[in-house]
Amino acid sequence: MNARPATSETPYVLWRWTSRSTNAAATARAALRCALEQLGYEGEAIGEAVLVASELVTNATEHAVGPYEIRLRSAVAEWICEIEDHDPRIPEIPPFPAVAPYVPAEPDRGGGLDALCALLTERGRGLHMVQHLTQGSWGFTADRTTKVAWFALPPCPRERSSLR
């Protein structure tokens, strides 16, 4: 995790939802994809940003109270995507290994079905994925009543239109 870049004062809210909203992650992904396309992002940059946002939206919806919102904020040379919830507690950040993600450690090889299941568990890998896809350019900020998970998007190769 890195320090959050300085941003503009005005965020561009892409979507707001509550715990009663259906398909929150899917709708947030669609809203972000649309905004990034309008900004001129393409292909892999959009796919990775949408995947990171989906993980952070799912975490907010699963572990915090709403209402929630996903927004974009302009920084000097990049865009910052933010996901806000109404639980000011910042989650415990797991240690991130210096090796490639999801590579089995040598001592775990040959451990049988239990070792394989532990390696392939569906829980607890999301922030590792966020760390990897953002190259560490993400984090959390909080105040008395809210928390914001944020990540920096790479500079856009070409801006077609702008939200700025």
Side-chain angles (χ1 to χ4, degrees):
M1 277 186 347
N2 291 336
R4 182 176 172 173
T7 59
S8 66
E9 292 298 315
T10 306
Y12 299 93
V13 176
L14 304 179
W15 187 56
R16 291 185 175 112
W17 71 99
T18 69
S19 57
R20 292 179 171 257
S21 301
T22 57
N23 300 320
T27 305
R29 286 191 304 267
L32 180 59
R33 179 178 299 281
C34 182
L36 294 179
E37 286 172 351
Q38 289 177 9
L39 288 170
Y41 283 90
E42 297 177 330
E44 193 173 307
I46 291 176
E48 290 181 357
V50 165
L51 185 57
V52 169
S54 183
E55 175 61 27
L56 296 175
V57 164
T58 299
N59 284 354
T61 306
E62 247 183 65
H63 302 292
V65 296
Y68 315 90
E69 69 181 31
I70 183 170
R71 55 192 182 226
L72 287 174
R73 199 179 284 267
S74 175
V76 174
E78 59 197 359
W79 286 92
I80 305 297
C81 181
E82 302 175 333
I83 294 90
E84 181 183 76
D85 64 52
H86 284 77
D87 181 351
R89 297 173 296 164
I90 293 178
E92 184 177 327
I93 307 301
F96 299 115
V99 298
Y102 317 122
V103 175
E106 284 303 320
D108 294 335
R109 291 190 185 272
L113 184 58
D114 289 339
L116 179 61
C117 288
L119 177 65
L120 298 177
T121 182
E122 290 296 319
R123 308 289 299 169
R125 298 188 305 188
L127 294 182
H128 288 273
M129 179 199 64
V130 169
Q131 173 75 11
H132 178 73
L133 291 176
T134 64
Q135 299 177 2
S137 189
W138 70 282
F140 293 96
T141 59
D143 62 22
R144 270 187 36 252
T145 60
T146 62
K147 167 177 69 261
V148 173
W150 64 270
F151 66 95
L153 292 142
C156 183
R158 58 182 182 81
E159 286 199 22
R160 280 196 292 244
S161 68
S162 179
L163 300 174
R164 296 175 200 205

